């Protein structure tokens, strides 16, 4: 570019100078403006260029280019990183490069602190003119050792004396007047007294020049570090002991509130265990000298500060990834979180500043006005400013100091916002790079928080949740049930058909690990707990289960007669010689409804027992209840007994027949009349067998028998029953035409030539009572069945399934 007024000669001269400049190899040169022109001076420099200088210049340029390429691709030194950041910006650094860059700057910060310490350790020369120092060794009778006294040849001014006293104290000495030795009566000289000769000699050198006490300060630092290591190890030991004691303590968790309190206490204890282990490892790293950035840690609060900063960074990173706090609060911090760390500079909230200003505290007006000017419109909307300037932080501390005398609560609030900053400054982490480098050093030493027992957590989450029929069995009752169950043989098959969360199954597995234990549970949430505990689940709905077992130990739900249905079905699943031990509601033993009365008769016919449990037996359960309960025990006769209940009939050698109590007296009479002959014939067939001591032998000859007792056990689900029989005895429900439905289904299950006897209501057998009864009467006639009214007014139906039908 040029001005229009400039002449051609001037422009050509400038172009020529630019051309010459392209041939210069030296970065600068000098010329004589009075004896030569600038162009002549440049031309002279160009004429001095040789091939050797060109090669040197080329080599230098090549080295610069290689250095630049290295800095822009793989920076490793501070200068290379600075070039990279100048060209591309700090954001372009990879995570690995950021780690190296933080460590470089962090180490520079530590080096700066060492330089500041060396500067602080420097004691400047004292101008003493003609004053001479002399050193005297003297025994101190109180200290019981020699002291070294530096005396002066003449007095000095007060100002110089005070300066000498100050510098003597910096060297761990002080001025002392003469004193008398109580042993020999001698008098010591007055002067500057030191315990160490080396310190006294340093003091004497102040006349000649500056003296450093760096070794003294470093020795003190080392002593402080060793004391800190001992303190940290003691803190870790105490924390561990207290946390382990807390976790081992038994707690009642039978209410939602108690469960929440127990969870909170145990969570705190596990966090204390994590902190204790981390403190111990950091103390070890400091003692061994392996730690660079954490060597300044002195207290538990320092580590808690690092932990809180790291967790805040974890939340910041995860929120930017779109994750919710509830999903990440129990996740452990990671190395990637350190990139999101911010230095905890103190924050000053505008409402706090207004309150301080309103108090008109002497000496704070200028400071509060200075802070008020920092609140721009943006900061006012945000509500606070971040105080980063060291001078402003001193003002912040001054506000707190003066405010504490007027408003202690407000002062404490501001102290909290300053606390983390002050702790980091004490540790020596004075800036963000050193803080990040320290956190990357901290993470490998940090121990993850011990996890809670997932099973215990799932169990506690149940407390307060309403699950129909779910009332966990207290341990004391489980132990009583196992005693009654009399589990002896290894490999015995055992079923817990209402598993819940495993209160009964857990104790069975603990006491009888060799038993073959199976569990059933219908609730999916409870099933998850049982699966987590490792129990063998064999089904969802117990009433649909058909496998046989040696022992069934249960606490079924009580609502809607479920305890009755479950106990009856349990008995039907027992192997010969098996036993049912069940908890039942008291209702089944005092209600006067038909189903309860029928159950009590059934239980009595089997020789079952029931024992009322003490009131409040379930009050200590995780889901407490005051419902009265009973312990029911039913044994199933073993195969060595020749008496086997068939059709409610006891088959003996004389073929005497006694009908089970579940059937009415009238039905007993009819069965005795009509089936006596059939049974006699079949027993005669059995008698032809050499030895009859197995029930399956009897059933083999009878061709399948559904006794009155067995029918009672499956009555509620009989319409879904599919097994075939040659002899069947029914006492079906007498309402809503259920008796007719059961007789129809029973006939379908009969083998050809099989015999069926069933009680039936008067309404069902009356030909003109309803369409249903008329249809049934026609059907009964078609299959050759007969009906009969007995003297007591009840009715019975007898059917033989003819091979022609």
């Amino acid at each position: 570019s040029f001005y229009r007024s400039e002449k051609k000669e001037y422009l050509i001269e400038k172009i020529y100078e630019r051309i010459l400049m392209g041939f210069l190899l030296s970065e600068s040169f000098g010329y004589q403006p009075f004896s030569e022109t600038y162009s002549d001076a440049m031309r002279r420099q160009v004429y001095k260029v040789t091939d050797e200088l060109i090669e040197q210049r080329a080599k230098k340029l090549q080295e610069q280019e290689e250095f630049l390429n290295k800095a822009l691709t793989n920076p490793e030194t501070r200068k290379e990183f600075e070039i990279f950041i100048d060209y591309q910006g700090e954001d372009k650094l990879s995570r690995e490069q950021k780690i190296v860059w933080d460590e470089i700057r962090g180490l520079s910060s530590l080096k700066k602190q060492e330089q500041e310490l060396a500067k602080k350790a420097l004691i400047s020369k004292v101008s003493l003119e003609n004053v001479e120092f002399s050193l005297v060794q003297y025994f101190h009778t109180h200290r019981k050792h020699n002291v070294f006294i530096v005396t002066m040849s003449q007095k000095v001014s007060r100002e110089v004396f005070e300066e000498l006293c100050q510098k003597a104290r910096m060297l761990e000495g002080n001025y002392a007047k003469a004193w008398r030795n109580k042993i020999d009566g001698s008098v010591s000289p007055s002067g500057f007294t030191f315990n160490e000769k080396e310190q006294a000699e340093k003091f004497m050198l102040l006349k000649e020049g500056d003296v450093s006490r760096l070794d003294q300060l470093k020795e003190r630092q080392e002593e402080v570090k060793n004391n800190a290591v001992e303190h940290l190890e003691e803190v870790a030991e105490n924390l561990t002991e207290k946390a382990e004691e807390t976790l081992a303590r038994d707690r009642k968790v039978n209410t939602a509130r108690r469960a929440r309190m127990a969870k909170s206490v145990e969570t705190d204890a596990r966090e204390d265990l994590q902190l204790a282990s981390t403190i111990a490892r950091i103390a070890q790293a400091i003692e061994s000298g392996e730690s660079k950035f954490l060597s300044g840690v002195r207290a538990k609060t320092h580590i808690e500060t690092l932990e809180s900063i790291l967790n805040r960074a974890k939340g910041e990173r995860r929120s930017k990834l779109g994750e919710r706090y509830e999903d990440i609060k129990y996740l452990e911090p990671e190395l990637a979180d350190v990139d999101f760390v911010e230095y905890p500079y103190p924050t000053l909230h505008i409402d706090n500043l207004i309150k301080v200003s309103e108090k008109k505290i002497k000496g704070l007006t200028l400071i509060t006005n200075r802070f008020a000017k920092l609140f721009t419109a943006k900061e006012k909307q945000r509500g606070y400013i971040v105080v980063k300037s060291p001078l402003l932080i001193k003002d912040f501390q001054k506000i707190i100091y003066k405010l504490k005398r007027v408003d202690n609560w407000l002062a404490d609030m501001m102290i909290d916002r300053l606390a983390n900053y002050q702790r980091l400054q004490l540790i020596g982490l004075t800036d963000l790079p050193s803080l990040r480098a320290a956190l990357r050093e901290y993470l490998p030493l940090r121990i993850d928080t011990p996890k809670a027992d997932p099973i215990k957590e799932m169990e506690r989450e149940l407390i307060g949740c309403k699950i129909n029929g779910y009332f966990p069995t207290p341990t004391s009752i489980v132990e009583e049930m196992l005693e009654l169950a009399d589990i002896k043989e290894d490999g015995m098959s055992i079923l817990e058909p209402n598993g819940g969360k495993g209160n009964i199954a857990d104790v069975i597995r603990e006491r009888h690990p060799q038993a073959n234990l199976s569990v059933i549970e219908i609730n999916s949430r409870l099933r998850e707990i049982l699966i987590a505990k490792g129990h063998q689940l064999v089904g969802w709905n117990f009433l649909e289960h058909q496998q046989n077992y040696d022992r069934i130990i249960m606490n079924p739900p009580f609502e809607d007669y479920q305890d009755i249905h479950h106990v009856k079905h349990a008995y039907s699943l027992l192997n010969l010689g098996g036993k049912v031990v069940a908890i039942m509601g008291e209702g089944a033993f005092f209600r006067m409804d038909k189903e309860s009365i029928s159950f009590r008769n059934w239980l009595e016919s089997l020789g079952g027992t029931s024992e009322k449990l003490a009131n409040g037996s379930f009050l200590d359960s995780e889901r407490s209840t005051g419902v009265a309960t009973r312990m029911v025990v039913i044994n199933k006769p073993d195969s060595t007994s020749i008496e086997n209940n068939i059709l409610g009939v006891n088959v003996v050698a004389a073929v005497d027949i006694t009908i089970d109590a579940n059937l009415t007296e009238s039905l007993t009479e009819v069965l005795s009349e009509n089936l006596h002959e059939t049974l006699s014939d079949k027993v005669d067939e059995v008698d032809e067998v050499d030895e009859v001591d197995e029930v399956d032998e009897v059933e083999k000859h009878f061709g399948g028998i559904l006794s009155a007792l067995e029918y009672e056990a499956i009555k509620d689900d009989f319409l879904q029953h599919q097994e075939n029989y040659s002899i069947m005895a029914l006492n079906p429900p007498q309402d809503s035409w259920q008796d007719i439905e059961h007789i129809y289904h029973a006939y379908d299950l009969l083998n050809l030539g099989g015999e069926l006897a069933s009680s039936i209501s008067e309404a069902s057998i009356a030909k003109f009572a309803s369409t249903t009864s008329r249809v049934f009467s026609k059907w009964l006639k078609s299959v050759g069945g007969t009906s009969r009214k007995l003297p007591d007014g009840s009715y019975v139906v007898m059917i033989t399934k003819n091979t022609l039908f």
Side-chain angles (χ1 to χ4, degrees), residues 98-136:
K98 286 179 179 178
I99 292 173
V100 176
W101 179 227
D102 282 340
E103 186 168 358
I104 289 172
R105 289 184 294 171
L107 290 173
S108 297
S109 180
L110 294 181
K111 188 175 180 181
K112 183 179 179 181
Q113 292 175 33
E114 291 180 0
Q115 292 171 349
E116 290 176 354
L117 180 65
K119 185 178 179 181
K120 181 180 177 182
L122 196 64
I123 304 174
S124 59
K125 174 184 175 181
V126 180
S127 179
L128 294 174
E129 298 179 355
N130 297 325
V131 176
E132 297 293 334
F133 284 141
S134 59
L135 183 61
V136 178

Side-chain angles (χ1 to χ4, degrees), residues 646-686:
I646 305 170
L647 275 176
V649 181
N650 290 322
V651 182
V652 293
V655 200
D656 293 329
I657 300 176
T658 304
I659 305 302
D660 185 76
N662 281 323
L663 301 179
T664 64
E665 292 181 1
S666 300
L667 181 57
T668 301
E669 180 182 348
V670 173
L671 288 170
S672 299
E673 284 181 19
N674 292 276
L675 298 182
H676 183 279
E677 182 178 351
T678 302
L679 290 171
S680 298
D681 294 342
K682 293 186 179 294
V683 171
D684 289 340
E685 294 175 17
V686 174

Side-chain angles (χ1 to χ4, degrees), residues 303-503:
I303 299 174
E304 288 174 334
T305 297
L306 295 176
E307 188 75 14
S308 67
I309 291 171
L310 197 53
N311 277 305
R312 194 178 299 115
K314 177 190 75 175
E316 183 69 20
R317 170 177 166 254
R318 297 282 185 170
S319 66
K320 289 186 177 180
L321 294 174
E323 300 180 32
R324 300 184 309 162
Y325 172 76
E326 291 76 12
D327 299 331
I328 64 141
K329 61 182 177 180
Y330 295 120
L331 296 178
E332 301 296 336
E334 301 175 358
L335 189 62
D337 298 329
V338 179
D339 296 341
F340 293 81
V341 165
E342 295 182 359
Y343 199 83
Y345 289 105
T347 57
L348 178 61
H349 288 244
I350 190 168
D351 54 344
N352 292 345
L353 182 62
I354 291 171
K355 289 177 182 178
V356 173
S357 301
E358 290 174 348
K359 294 183 183 298
K360 300 187 181 302
I361 301 172
K362 186 178 179 180
L364 293 185
T365 303
L366 291 176
I367 293 175
T368 54
N369 290 339
R370 192 179 302 133
F371 277 118
K373 292 178 181 179
L374 298 176
F375 278 93
T376 63
K378 182 179 179 181
E379 275 73 25
K380 285 180 181 178
Q381 186 177 3
R382 188 171 59 177
Y384 67 90
I385 58 171
V386 180
V387 184
K388 295 184 179 181
S389 167
L391 294 176
L392 289 175
I393 290 175
K394 287 183 179 180
D395 287 341
F396 193 94
Q397 293 170 327
K398 190 174 182 180
I399 290 175
I400 293 172
Y401 175 75
K402 289 185 174 290
L403 184 62
K404 206 161 183 64
R405 304 175 186 177
V406 179
D407 189 336
N408 193 56
W409 180 84
L410 183 56
D412 287 342
M413 184 182 294
M414 296 180 69
I415 286 172
D416 288 341
R417 297 195 177 108
L418 183 64
N420 284 347
Y421 171 83
Q422 289 181 320
R423 287 174 188 149
L424 291 184
Q425 293 294 311
L426 287 173
I427 297 173
L429 306 177
T430 56
D431 52 27
L432 183 58
S434 59
L435 173 60
R436 286 178 176 170
L439 290 174
R440 292 188 182 103
E441 189 177 279
Y442 169 77
L443 273 171
L445 298 173
R446 182 185 183 275
I447 299 294
D448 289 347
T449 305
K451 302 298 181 185
D453 183 350
I455 295 174
K456 183 186 287 187
E457 290 291 298
M458 286 192 289
E459 288 180 339
R460 285 183 178 172
E461 287 174 2
L462 293 174
I463 299 171
C465 296
K466 186 175 181 181
I467 299 175
N468 292 334
Y470 169 67
F471 293 94
T473 313
T475 304
S476 58
I477 297 179
V478 176
E479 291 174 348
E480 186 178 348
M481 295 175 77
L482 292 188
E483 185 176 344
L484 292 170
D486 191 26
I487 302 171
K488 294 180 179 179
E489 304 173 12
D490 288 345
M492 182 176 280
S493 60
I494 304 173
L495 176 66
E496 213 291 49
N498 312 104
K501 68 180 183 65
N503 284 34

Side-chain angles (χ1 to χ4, degrees), residues 531-565:
I531 292 171
K533 288 182 175 182
H535 287 298
Q536 178 185 352
L537 272 81
V538 294
W540 289 74
N541 189 343
F542 170 57
L543 295 178
E544 296 177 358
H545 192 65
Q546 294 300 323
Q547 190 172 341
N548 296 99
Y549 298 91
D550 298 318
R551 296 288 187 272
I552 299 179
I553 304 171
M554 60 198 298
N555 176 15
F558 300 165
E559 297 91 344
D560 301 327
Y561 303 98
Q562 289 186 80
D563 49 351
I564 292 176
H565 302 160

Side-chain angles (χ1 to χ4, degrees), residues 37 41 197 248 315 489 576 623 759 776:
T37 64
K197 184 178 181 180
E489 304 173 12
L576 295 173
R623 188 183 176 195
S759 61
F776 175 75

Side-chain angles (χ1 to χ4, degrees), residues 569-585:
H569 186 60
Y571 183 80
S572 72
L573 299 184
L574 280 179
N575 290 325
L576 295 173
K579 182 181 290 189
V580 171
V581 180
I583 304 295
M584 292 187 67

